[in-house]
Structures are given as structure tokens and as C-alpha cells.
Amino acid sequence: MSDREQIKPTAHELMKMHVEAMFTHDRNMRLRTINEPWPGEPPAPRFFLGRTIEGSALCRFRYDVPETLARQLEELCADEPVVRDFQTKPKHFEAYMNLLQSERFTMGPCYLIPETTVPTMEVVSVTRENVTELARGGFEWLTSDIDYAQPCIALVREGRAVSICRSVRIASRAHEAGLETLEEFRGKGYAAAVVAGWARAVRNMKAAPLYSTLCDNLSSQRVARKSGLSFYGVNFTIV
């Protein structure tokens, strides 16, 4: 077995990396806020459940969820089966919703971008030095985010970025991808190219490139399929 194969993370480890990138935690590993650098500190969901293809579910709770309630939820999480697709709700969906007295939830697939994923088109890095030029014509908002959103990879046409993939949630062990393609340039394979370029840049930083989306985001799921991303689980949150 090669060194690379020995350090390949399990699905459970990838889910831990995912939740650590998505949210800030306190010393007790309770969720605090959504992991963003901008003012306001939006609160994390009250409950996070990560089901994996290995059958090992990971759950986290916001700091203000009572301990007794957290233990009830934890017992249910331990009974979640292996996840086989990202459309099926958790086994104990109704119980989770009832215990937290909520009607609002999110759910979606989580992927690892494999090392074998490489850009099929030329892509470039977007930095503080070139962002003003590349962001014109649709990505002007990127100029205020560029220092944080690194690495940021773009596919350029006629001197401007038409598709970008950047880091939007960053932790020490993993980055979560944020993907945007201008509407008139969709369906050309550009998104897959920038995702691959971004993943290569993240791996060069010794971090895992992760890609997650929502169940109703069909365009994002198409990118995942075309790029051959490795499905490792489903995240589920209750706000």
C-alpha cells in the first residue's frame, strides 16, 4: 500500500472535515456560527447530522440546545443506517423535527474531489492583483471577497472570468467549494474545469477539497456527476 492510500480519509473523517469547515465550534464541539469571515456571524443550525456511505453518522448540536435534548438526538443518530442516495430522508426524520419543534431543514449530498480530477481546459488563479480585470462583466462582487476566497480559480473568455470556483468555507484540514458560472456560459463544461483547478490548488495547500450542495440544486449535481466526484455522505440540518 502506498503512502497516499494509507492516508486516504474515511467517509466519517470526511464528514468531520465537512462540519468543521462549515461551522465554527466552541471548546465542547458545540456549533456556534456559520464559518464566514464577514460581519454579523449568522448562527449555525441547531442540529447537524452527517450520514455516510459507511453507516457511521456524525451529529453536532448548537451551543444552546439543552443537554437532555442533545442526548435524545444523539441516540437516534446512532441508529441511522448506511446512506445509499442523497434523496432519502434520515430514518428518524420525523423524530428530529418533532424534538426540535421545527419545520425547516436542509439536506444535500457531500463529495470529495478526487486527486485524479484535472482541468480539461486552461484555468487561472484570481488574486488581488488581477481580480478587478477578471471580475468585470458579472463577478464584480468578487473584488471584496478575494482575500478570503482563496484559492480562487477562473475560466476566462475574452479577458474576463465566466466561471469561478473558490473556497467559501475554510478549516485547517479542508476547504468547501463555492461555484458560480455566468448564465450565458453554462452547459459548456466550464464549471467542471474550474472545480478541478480549484481542487488541485487546495490539495497543494495540504487540505482536502470538498464539494457539497442541496438536493434541489440540479445544476450543481450535474457538475458533480460530470466531474466524477466521490460521494461520501449526506448532510442534514435543522435550523
Side-chain angles (χ1 to χ4, degrees), residues 57-193:
L58 172 72
C59 55
R60 295 277 168 87
F61 316 99
R62 201 167 67 193
Y63 67 92
D64 55 355
V65 173
E67 190 67 25
T68 302
L69 176 55
R71 297 290 73 79
Q72 289 179 276
L73 294 166
E74 196 169 47
E75 288 180 9
L76 293 171
C77 292
D79 186 47
E80 288 290 341
V82 171
V83 68
R84 307 214 179 263
D85 65 78
F86 58 81
Q87 298 291 352
T88 302
K89 291 178 180 177
K91 176 181 177 179
H92 299 290
F93 172 80
E94 295 294 343
Y96 298 139
M97 302 301 287
N98 290 335
L99 284 169
L100 287 161
Q101 300 181 352
S102 177
E103 297 180 351
R104 299 170 57 196
F105 71 94
T106 67
M107 189 172 76
C110 300
Y111 305 93
L112 172 69
I113 304 173
E115 293 186 47
T116 53
T117 304
V118 296
T120 56
M121 305 178 194
E122 183 179 357
V123 294
V124 302
S125 295
V126 183
T127 65
R128 172 57 55 190
E129 288 68 33
N130 63 10
V131 65
T132 301
E133 177 184 0
L134 294 180
R136 60 186 173 82
F139 287 117
E140 286 83 0
W141 53 265
L142 185 59
T143 58
S144 61
D145 296 352
I146 194 60
D147 291 334
Y148 172 79
Q150 290 294 325
C152 179
I153 303 297
L155 191 141
V156 178
R157 289 291 179 265
E158 298 181 356
R160 66 184 179 116
V162 297
S163 182
I164 63 168
C165 186
R166 69 201 190 284
S167 294
V168 292
R169 304 282 187 271
I170 300 172
S172 59
R173 298 193 297 164
H175 290 211
E176 282 281 342
L179 176 64
E180 300 276 351
T181 301
L182 298 181
E183 186 172 359
E184 62 268 33
F185 293 95
R186 294 173 185 170
K188 301 177 182 293
Y190 295 169

Side-chain angles (χ1 to χ4, degrees), residues 212-226:
S212 59
T213 185
L214 296 174
C215 286
D216 59 358
N217 192 334
L218 301 183
S219 61
S220 186
Q221 293 165 27
R222 281 194 293 271
V223 172
R225 287 195 300 271
K226 290 179 180 178

Side-chain angles (χ1 to χ4, degrees), residues 16-34:
K16 286 181 66 176
M17 294 180 192
H18 170 68
V19 71
E20 289 166 7
M22 294 296 289
F23 310 110
T24 64
H25 294 66
D26 63 20
R27 66 180 63 186
N28 297 315
M29 297 307 293
R30 289 293 198 105
L31 304 181
R32 297 291 304 184
T33 65
I34 295 174

